């Protein structure tokens, strides 16, 4: 069996599958006691710098839950660490940049990334994982998108209103485009290196892009996303474009070059699919908070997402955003089992499985 026969890759190509593939953003992490045990003594970056350990953490959710993909254990800030940005990932806060990037000299200081030299541990982790996964389960590599990375660099940390980011975008457009251009080059070389090392699928996380109007997205962000997907589309590696709060941006994102669009729960999956078009695959979109609710609520909502997918080819089940730290491990397992059971072709309840048109 080769990885191109896996459910995830076939679904990404909109081929008919026996059942819907499922994985979770942030599946490796605090939800797992075996992760917390490792994390007790080491930071995220310390784990990342030890490829054997980092591969082990990446595999934990695959082994425990039986999800249909592994996602490289890393953070979106890794390539920025690689080019020497001084940052810390603070518990319960996220990335914090010691000297935010707001002037020409700070943008100028952002140098290109050579992943083999700057982040060899990431590529070593991928090589280990490829062996461990044995061509059965695909490995998802990823990068943060230029806008989301720029927002951390400019704001210095997570932001509610993105005022400093939008100030640069609108008051210093040349500086903005220079920054986005440099980040785009970094993201492209990072993703290409992950692919060369063996990543089977690549996801671009534009987590915070939903704070933008469609016009701002089209003018100030979209050209860079297009450039990234264009650079990567030369091979047949499936590409996933994900953002949060993107209901008003989907009609643009659908043309940016990714074959799979990741959507959050604020828009019903079928409505989102109608917007992006059925010539694209879709990933999503259970509200992560549902995993903190009753077993009945979880079952109802999982079935609702699958019903909206309607058994059409090209659905990858995921949450609308990452697993939350409070989610019980049992709830994660319940979702995996439900998706596998409910979407299987010819299941006992008589429903049609994934890939069977209703
Ligand atoms: O399992 C996986 O999904 C792979 C690992 C992964 C991490 N970060 C590890 C991590 C992935 C895919 C990311 C992406 C990431 N990081 C994004 C995009 C996805 C999203 O959530 O929108 C963003 C915006 C970041 C930035 C970031 N890093 C945030 C907001 C946080 C959370 C802060 C907190 O503690 O709540 C981090 C830290 C981080 N990244 C942790 C992990 C496992 C937590 C540190 C820990 O508990 O070990």
């Amino acid at each position: 069996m080769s990885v191109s026969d896996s459910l995830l890759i076939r679904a990404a190509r909109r081929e008919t599958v026996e059942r819907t593939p499922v994985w979770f953003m942030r599946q490796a992490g605090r939800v797992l006691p075996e992760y917390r045990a490792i994390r007790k003594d080491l930071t995220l970056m310390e784990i990342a710098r030890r490829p054997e350990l980092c591969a082990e953490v990446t595999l934990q959710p695959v082994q425990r839950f039986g999800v249909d993909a592994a996602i490289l254990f890393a953070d979106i800030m890794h390539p920025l660490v690689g080019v020497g940005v001084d940052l810390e990932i603070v518990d319960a806060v996220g990335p914090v940049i010691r000297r935010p990037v707001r002037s020409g000299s700070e943008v100028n200081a952002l140098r290109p990334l050579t992943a083999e030299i700057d982040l060899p541990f990431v590529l070593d982790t991928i090589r280990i994982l490829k062996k461990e996964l044995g061509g059965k389960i695909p490995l998802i590599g990823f990068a943060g998108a230029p806008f989301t990375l720029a927002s951390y660099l400019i704001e210095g940390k997570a932001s509610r209103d993105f005022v400093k980011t939008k100030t640069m975008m609108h008051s210093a457009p040349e500086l903005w485009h220079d920054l986005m251009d440099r980040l785009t080059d970094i993201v492209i070389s990072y993703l290409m290196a992950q692919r060369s090392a063996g990543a089977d699928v690549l996801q671009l996380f534009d987590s915070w892009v939903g704070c933008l109007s469609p016009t701002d997205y089209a003018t100030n962000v979209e050209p860079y996303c297009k450039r990234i997907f264009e650079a990567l589309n030369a091979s047949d590696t499936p590409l996933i474009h994900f953002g949060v709060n993107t209901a008003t941006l989907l009609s643009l994102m659908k043309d940016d070059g990714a074959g799979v669009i990741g959507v959050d729960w604020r828009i019903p999956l079928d409505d989102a699919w109608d917007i992006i078009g059925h010539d694209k695959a879709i990933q999503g979109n259970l509200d992560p908070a549902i995993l903190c609710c009753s077993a009945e609520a979880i079952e109802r909502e999982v079935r609702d997402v699958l019903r909206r997918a309607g058994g059409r080819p090209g659905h990858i089940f995921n949450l609308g955003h990452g697993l939350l730290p409070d989610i019980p491990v049992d709830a994660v397992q319940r979702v995996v089992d439900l998706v596998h059971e409910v979407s299987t072709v010819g299941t006992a309840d008589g429903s049609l499985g994934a890939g069977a048109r209703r």
Side-chain angles (χ1 to χ4, degrees), residues 3 34 71 90 144 222 227:
V3 82
E34 57 268 37
I71 178 161
V90 179
E222 191 176 26
R227 182 146 80 78

Side-chain angles (χ1 to χ4, degrees), residues 6-39:
S6 67
L7 292 169
L8 182 90
I9 292 193
R10 282 158 57 212
R13 297 195 176 124
R14 297 179 47 257
E15 291 169 18
T16 301
V17 285
E18 308 78 75
R19 61 168 174 74
T20 305
V22 51
W23 69 280
F24 303 107
M25 293 180 277
R26 296 290 299 272
Q27 64 189 17
R30 286 164 299 186
V31 165
L32 293 176
E34 57 268 37
Y35 171 74
R36 285 200 298 267
I38 292 173
R39 185 64 178 82

Side-chain angles (χ1 to χ4, degrees), residues 41-50 53:
D41 304 314
L42 298 168
T43 65
L44 176 81
M45 266 329 278
E46 285 167 345
I47 296 171
R49 286 181 194 280
R50 300 183 190 190
L53 190 62

Side-chain angles (χ1 to χ4, degrees), residues 56-254:
E56 183 185 327
V57 166
T58 304
L59 292 173
Q60 284 176 347
V62 180
Q63 285 152 353
R64 181 190 268 263
F65 300 124
V67 284
D68 297 300
I71 178 161
L72 172 71
F73 185 79
D75 192 77
I76 54 165
M77 303 311 279
H78 270 41
L80 299 180
V81 173
V83 299
V85 173
D86 188 2
L87 67 87
E88 196 186 339
I89 296 180
V90 179
D91 279 349
V93 175
V96 175
I97 316 288
R98 230 170 296 267
R99 271 167 279 119
V101 172
R102 294 180 191 157
S103 71
S105 62
E106 286 148 357
V107 171
N108 257 323
L110 209 59
R111 66 164 174 86
L113 175 82
T114 308
E116 294 74 9
I117 296 168
D118 298 322
L119 297 169
F121 49 91
V122 173
L123 307 179
D124 289 343
T125 302
I126 292 175
R127 290 182 196 109
I128 294 170
L129 282 166
K130 284 296 288 179
K131 281 201 205 106
E132 297 276 329
L133 290 164
K136 293 191 191 79
I137 301 283
L139 175 65
I140 303 172
F142 71 90
F147 174 78
T148 294
L149 295 177
S151 76
Y152 278 111
L153 284 177
I154 298 167
E155 305 283 340
K157 56 180 170 19
S159 169
R160 208 178 273 262
D161 45 32
F162 298 91
V163 169
K164 295 185 179 75
T165 308
K166 291 179 182 183
T167 301
M168 186 190 288
M169 187 184 278
H170 290 285
S171 304
E174 274 183 31
L175 196 57
W176 170 260
H177 287 289
D178 187 5
L179 175 60
M180 289 294 280
D181 215 35
R182 288 168 192 262
L183 289 171
T184 300
D185 289 338
I186 289 172
V187 169
I188 290 172
S189 38
Y190 186 48
L191 289 174
M192 283 189 156
Q194 290 183 49
R195 189 175 60 193
S196 302
D200 303 299
V201 175
L202 296 169
Q203 175 159 324
L204 191 67
F205 282 90
D206 214 347
S207 301
W208 310 141
V209 76
C211 74
L212 295 177
S213 69
T215 307
D216 269 349
Y217 181 71
T219 311
N220 294 303
V221 175
E222 191 176 26
Y224 303 98
C225 295
K226 282 188 166 163
R227 182 146 80 78
I228 292 167
F229 291 121
E230 205 175 314
L232 295 163
N233 259 330
S235 87
D236 60 359
T237 306
L239 306 172
I240 308 173
H241 192 185
F242 166 76
V244 177
N245 233 328
T246 55
T248 58
L249 304 180
L250 292 175
S251 58
L252 296 163
M253 287 169 71
K254 74 182 174 68

Side-chain angles (χ1 to χ4, degrees), residues 282-328:
I282 193 164
Q283 177 171 281
N285 73 340
L286 183 67
D287 181 349
I290 295 296
L291 276 75
C292 295
C293 305
S294 66
E296 294 74 35
I298 292 175
E299 174 156 4
R300 185 185 64 233
E301 299 299 319
V302 167
R303 285 184 181 275
D304 187 61
V305 171
L306 289 169
R307 184 184 62 74
R308 290 177 188 281
R312 286 175 289 229
H315 178 219
I316 299 167
F317 196 102
N318 205 311
L319 305 179
H321 201 178
L323 283 170
L324 304 165
D326 300 335
I327 289 173

